[in-house]
Amino acid sequence: MPELPEVETIRRDLTPRIVGRTIIEAWVSPNAPKLVQAVPAGRQGELADAFCRRLAGRRIEELDRRGKYLLIRLDGGVTWIVHLRMTGGLIHSRGGCEGLPDGRFLRARFGLDDGAALCYVDLRKLGTMWLTDDESAVVGKLGPEPLGEAFGPRELHRLLEKRRAPVKAVLLDQGAIAGVGNIYADEALFEAGIRPSKPARALSRRAAERLHWAVRKVLMEALEDRGSSFRDYVDAEGEQGMHQLRVKVFRRTGEPCYACGTAIKRVKVGGRSTHYCPKCQR
Ligand SMILES: [Zn+2]
């Protein structure tokens, strides 16, 4: 469930701890056969072994993020890309990966030259990693970064007016906007006073402006809180985020709206659980 604020928190935490370090050994559990992905997709087989061999000996130069993807740039023009999906976590540990609370879900381990390790844990094993010299093969089709300068209210309106899908489905479409998932889509639509099921192209220019403001507001507040931990998300030190304590609609079904007291409703929009206030959101 990590979305933009959670992946960005991990990126910021890991940067001072691992930039400049060299990966001395890499191990992927035979228990996680889908963790390492080929670019372009297809050829499997010896993939995990080749991935580990190619990672070992490389120096970590910088950490970047696109949407929900963490990009770990290594020497030699190679990027290690990580997508945590639902339950993945990348934890920096000075004491190796054995004593971690979620140690039984350890799917990969990366030893560093200062004796620390990056421990990849993943209960449901949906997370994926790539090693590539062509980042665009993995992240090239993502939409703009919602906190970036290229994403203005006009850009959002232009994007919405072409789509007849529910506005929430467009917010979740990573090719439209990168990094927004179920939590922050629901929260942003509440802040903007917009019904999640409303067709995107029915939004006025004013409504698109409000939504643009709301998306940025909820993402920035969640970043300040170091992300939301509803179930599995932990930061790079294995600690929970705090933003789940400040959400206004997400998973508050039946509880009173903070603005008007009406019970928060839960419906499915585009196949996803969606929470909203029937009075405040039109
Ligand atoms: Zn309300």
Side-chain angles (χ1 to χ4, degrees), residues 33-246:
K34 294 191 176 145
L35 179 62
V36 179
Q37 298 288 310
V39 183
R43 194 178 54 86
Q44 286 285 331
E46 306 274 292
L47 210 52
D49 286 344
F51 169 84
C52 291
R53 273 198 309 274
R54 204 171 163 205
L55 260 184
R58 290 200 191 261
R59 187 173 175 276
I60 299 169
E61 296 195 326
E62 67 171 350
L63 273 72
D64 201 350
R65 180 191 55 73
R66 269 296 273 136
K68 305 177 195 174
Y69 294 78
L70 180 67
L71 310 181
I72 304 172
R73 298 208 176 98
L74 309 169
D75 61 2
V78 174
T79 304
W80 172 19
I81 304 180
V82 181
H83 196 303
L84 303 168
R85 307 284 170 197
M86 295 291 283
T87 58
L90 195 58
I91 297 162
H92 181 262
S93 170
R94 302 213 176 273
C97 300
E98 267 58 55
L100 291 176
D102 277 338
R104 68 205 161 107
F105 304 128
L106 185 73
R107 309 302 181 197
R109 182 182 60 228
F110 306 92
L112 306 177
D113 61 351
D114 62 354
L118 283 174
C119 313
Y120 179 74
V121 290
D122 193 346
L123 166 71
R124 293 184 55 187
K125 301 195 277 191
L126 298 170
T128 39
M129 295 182 182
W130 299 258
L131 199 57
T132 181
D133 48 20
D134 177 16
E135 291 177 8
S136 71
V138 180
V139 297
K141 292 198 171 113
L142 294 175
E145 287 291 323
L147 296 179
E149 286 184 5
F151 178 72
R154 205 177 299 167
E155 283 71 27
L156 179 61
H157 188 225
R158 233 175 263 147
L159 205 138
L160 294 170
E161 66 187 357
K162 282 185 272 176
R163 307 278 298 261
R164 69 178 80 200
V167 57
K168 173 163 177 187
V170 179
L171 289 182
L172 292 180
D173 176 358
Q174 300 300 299
I177 303 160
V180 177
N182 216 28
I183 302 171
Y184 302 111
D186 281 5
E187 292 298 307
L189 287 162
F190 174 78
E191 291 288 346
I194 297 167
R195 190 73 63 109
S197 56
K198 190 167 185 165
R201 64 181 184 186
L203 263 67
S204 67
R205 193 172 168 160
R206 291 280 304 270
E209 275 171 20
R210 272 200 327 273
L211 183 56
H212 173 262
W213 164 85
V215 165
R216 292 168 70 114
K217 176 178 189 273
V218 300
L219 292 176
M220 285 191 287
E221 287 180 354
L223 254 177
E224 279 171 28
D225 290 338
R226 305 180 51 78
S228 301
S229 297
F230 283 95
R231 222 176 42 188
D232 301 282
Y233 166 70
V234 289
D235 65 22
E237 287 185 277
E239 301 289 332
Q240 295 204 322
M242 295 297 284
H243 195 70
Q244 67 279 8
L245 304 174
R246 280 173 69 186

Side-chain angles (χ1 to χ4, degrees), residues 257 259-260 277 280:
C257 169
C260 75
C277 171
C280 294

Side-chain angles (χ1 to χ4, degrees), residues 12-56:
R12 292 179 183 179
D13 281 357
L14 285 179
T15 295
R17 291 171 173 78
I18 68 170
V19 167
R21 300 268 62 90
T22 295
I23 300 163
I24 52 170
E25 57 111 22
W27 168 83
V28 173
S29 168
N31 208 358
K34 294 191 176 145
L35 179 62
V36 179
Q37 298 288 310
V39 183
R43 194 178 54 86
Q44 286 285 331
E46 306 274 292
L47 210 52
D49 286 344
F51 169 84
C52 291
R53 273 198 309 274
R54 204 171 163 205
L55 260 184

